[in-house]
Amino acid sequence: MTRVILGVSGASGAMLARACAQDLAHRQILFDLVISHAARRTFETECTPCALEEMQKLAARIHEVEDIGAGIASGSHAISGMIVAPCSMRTLAAIAHGFDDNLLTRAASVQLKERRPLVLLAREAPLTLAHLRNMTLVTEMGAIVMPPVPAFYLNPPSLEAAVNQIAARAIDLLRLGPGRAEAWVP
Ligand SMILES: Cc1cc2nc3c(=O)[nH]c(=O)nc-3n(C[C@H](O)[C@H](O)[C@H](O)COP(=O)(O)O)c2cc1C
């Protein structure tokens, strides 16, 4: 059965993580979940008190971010790809420079070395030259940088609708099946 990793780092946009988890569950794609310490804080700041717990309930497995001995730290583990949603500039930098300094960045590196899809919902605004250079580096290594920018052309009726569309697009980019994100129809 198809299994992916959802990494959640501490950029603003915790609701992106929850939307990805809900969409993966809806598509019946099993996922391993890794949440950074900073992400736990953004969840507290940006979401309802039960949002983190609700997201965790959808995961097939939850890993501590320090657990660098988890199965997903190894390329031998059967995984089809990974999404980091949202992806902080710190996590982006760690991936770009191959730090592998926690389970989230290690698992992302594993996707790159195994040539599997890695989709980074990198969120910051505005961007420094360091951010841009790190985005270039990860793109050169095969990752897809997908800033969580709303599809304005679809006229989303709410922030939730815009976020759900971004999550669906990110999951489509894993190319695990037919695309499900709402598309532009001229
Ligand atoms: C409320 C809040 C919002 C933040 N938003 C962002 C953001 O949009 N982008 C970013 O790169 N960092 C953001 N940060 C800072 C990161 O959380 C911080 O750099 C942290 O060290 C990232 O750690 P991680 O990559 O291990 O999750 C935010 C922090 C807080 C508390």
Side-chain angles (χ1 to χ4, degrees), residues 6-18 20 34 36 38-39 42-43 46 82-96 102 104-105 108-109 112 118-125 127 131 134-135 138 143-149 166 170:
L6 176 59
V8 186
S9 69
S12 188
M15 65 191 299
L16 290 161
R18 195 178 49 168
C20 284
V34 191
S36 78
T42 52
F43 255 91
E46 300 177 356
M82 177 172 180
I83 297 176
V84 183
C87 181
S88 72
M89 294 302 106
R90 194 211 74 80
T91 288
L92 170 73
I95 297 169
N102 63 36
L104 198 164
T105 55
S109 265
L112 294 176
L118 174 65
V119 181
L120 306 176
L121 272 61
R123 207 230 77 99
E124 187 51 279
L127 299 166
H131 301 152
N134 288 334
M135 288 183 193
V138 294
I144 298 176
V145 177
M146 185 192 153
V149 178
I166 291 166

Side-chain angles (χ1 to χ4, degrees), residues 45-133:
T45 308
E46 300 177 356
C47 299
T48 56
C50 51
L52 183 60
E53 201 184 319
E54 279 170 14
M55 179 180 73
Q56 293 186 131
K57 279 186 190 155
L58 299 172
R61 192 151 184 194
I62 303 165
H63 303 277
E64 294 301 323
V65 74
E66 297 92 2
D67 185 10
I68 42 89
I72 58 169
S74 168
S76 61
H77 206 68
I79 288 290
S80 302
M82 177 172 180
I83 297 176
V84 183
C87 181
S88 72
M89 294 302 106
R90 194 211 74 80
T91 288
L92 170 73
I95 297 169
H97 295 275
F99 283 174
D100 297 12
D101 56 344
N102 63 36
L103 181 62
L104 198 164
T105 55
R106 169 64 188 169
S109 265
V110 167
Q111 307 315 303
L112 294 176
K113 83 182 176 76
E114 301 294 330
R115 308 297 192 269
R116 297 175 190 151
L118 174 65
V119 181
L120 306 176
L121 272 61
R123 207 230 77 99
E124 187 51 279
L127 299 166
T128 69
L129 188 55
H131 301 152
L132 292 165
R133 285 193 168 136

